[in-house]
Amino acid sequence: MNGMETAMWRMDSDAALRTDVVMVWTLDRVPEWDRFLECCAWLTGVLPRLRLRVAEPPLRIGRPVWEVDEAFDLAAHVHRVRLPAPGGRRELLDLAEDVGASVFDPARPPWRAVLAEEGESGRAAIVIKLHHCLADGAGLRRAMVALLPRSRRASLRPPGPPPDAPRHASPWEVAARGLASDLGSAPGRIRRGGTRLAAGLAHASTSPGDLPARVDGLVRSLGRTAVDPRRSPLLARRGRERRFEAVEMPLADLKAAGKTAGATVTAAFITIMLGAFADYHRLHGRAGGTLSIAVPVDVRDGGPEDGNNIVGGLVLGGSLKEMGPHDRLAEVGAMLRRARRTPLAGWSAALTSLFPVLPVPVLLRATRWTSGVQDLKTSSVPGVPRPAYIAGARLLSTLVFGPRVHGACTAVLMSHDETAGLGLNVDPAAVTDTSSFGRLVQKNVGAVLALADPART
């Protein structure tokens, strides 16, 4: 595991910091159970990590490693249920919440899948829970694009070679290997982070006289990122319960809406969320203020350690003042462009090399401190840009519910073919009126999409 994956795995020691990801794949029909099981077994062959479990070093100092689960049993990971009446979207999301609340057995690979039949509609869904250390959004997309077939009758390709992972490494071997790797790689990654930081300072300064002001601005920004006071007092409480909400929309319409303000799909979806939170604050008599928004930044640079979960992060302050959707979209687009030019994202990612050598209590306390001030965590992931099938059923849409990690809400936008799915993992202790909040999200989806198609208003 790399440094970020190590932190994600060990944060499971605190229920409020767990980094599991729940996906819901909606299907146009119920696949035959035997064919579905055959497909799942095939996937564990072509994606060998699905048969690997995590082995920790003594005292949990150093990096964990992946090892083959010699007693792997597909029946322990794959199940099926029938949704309670009326078997609609709310019942499906309730099931996803329950699956998300379940705890992984550390002696098994950290994933599970549930095939859910949706009442009398003849449709179905697959609820998938996996630990974030297995893959990030980019890794999931690569796997889905490569493996999901284009037709109902597609045959399964032969699985690849067995997993290349230690089968009988002793705990002390794991510790020695991991510690040596951490001590060897941390200086290099931090040095590269420092190089990116210095290059960013130089690039952003138009003249030597600008450099002191730029340094001062970045130092202030780094301080705000660590102890950002801009979080909303209305959303300050935290709990362990989760409430899932979801909205689907045409991807082309969302892209077109973003273009009306020269902004991206990511900016358009954050505008939806920021508008919903602004409305929610006014509903509760708290107009104005700011929302603390965490935005991931991919900092893969092609180095030997690049793979899954190579990301940095920035914390931004979104305005909750009342404004029209076009003005808010333009403001969010400009905010994201400024943020992604800062070298702080690469620096924060470099520091993750130190995570494996941190004592777990220190890691947990630091994560609660930095993550608890984030009102909204966001992520935008492009999905499979074409029709796709699994076990003969067509995949209609993909919803992703990301980990909150002590935040008030996590919003993930993932596209599939022509549909964009927005999944929300909401903390009911922070957002106490979840029903009203869900309606406000729907309202703001309509307002943003209407920028490209006024007939929607």
Side-chain angles (χ1 to χ4, degrees), residues 7 11 17 362-373 405-406:
M11 287 191 301
L17 302 180
V362 174
L363 174 65
L364 299 180
R365 185 170 183 178
T367 302
R368 273 183 169 268
W369 178 52
T370 57
S371 190
V373 299
V405 194
H406 210 45

Side-chain angles (χ1 to χ4, degrees), residues 226-239:
V227 290
D228 196 333
R230 295 175 295 180
R231 68 174 181 174
S232 164
L234 180 63
L235 309 175
R237 294 184 59 194
R238 295 291 185 267

Side-chain angles (χ1 to χ4, degrees), residues 437-448:
F437 181 67
R439 289 192 294 270
L440 292 172
V441 172
Q442 291 274 7
K443 170 196 165 187
N444 279 271
V445 167
V448 169

